[in-house]
Amino acid sequence: DGGDEEASEPAARREVVPPATALYVGKIGEGTDDAFFRHLLVACGKLRKWERVKGAGGKLAHFGFCEYEDPESVQCAVDVLNGLNVEGSSIVVKPSDKTEAYLLYYMEERERHLAARSAAGSADDGAEGVD
């Protein structure tokens, strides 16, 4: 039957956004220990990479860049850490443009899958009856 082909056609036309999980982390207080800051980042999820920029003479800068293994970790870091007061400084955690596009794509796809699963579950529930 042609119904299955029509249902899959929009998915085939949907633009796939390549994974990107990079974040800018700024306004880190001068006295904030790098190991402590790494601990905050790890608390948000699967941290792949953390690099705090070093200035002249190896002094730690007030910003750095991190990358996570998955989009859930990225979203958690943005939601939890952005604006967090760490040792008197309100830190900034912002996704790169590519990461922001990927997060939007990922969340839309996730919602679409959850809605489809929910609809399938509702159809199953209706067939079984209610206890």
Side-chain angles (χ1 to χ4, degrees), residues 68-131:
Y68 282 95
E69 295 286 333
D70 58 79
E72 290 92 355
S73 298
V74 172
Q75 193 63 57
C76 180
V78 172
D79 292 346
V80 173
L81 300 179
N82 188 46
L84 183 68
N85 188 320
V86 178
E87 298 184 3
S89 183
S90 182
I91 62 173
V92 173
V93 179
K94 289 176 45 174
S96 68
D97 290 345
K98 287 181 182 179
T99 299
E100 193 165 3
Y102 178 63
L103 284 177
L104 181 61
Y105 167 79
Y106 176 82
M107 294 302 176
E108 287 172 352
E109 287 295 299
R110 187 172 136 194
E111 288 299 317
R112 190 178 63 77
H113 286 296
L114 290 174
R117 215 164 80 191
S118 177
S122 295
D124 290 344
D125 290 346
E128 294 175 12
V130 178
D131 290 325

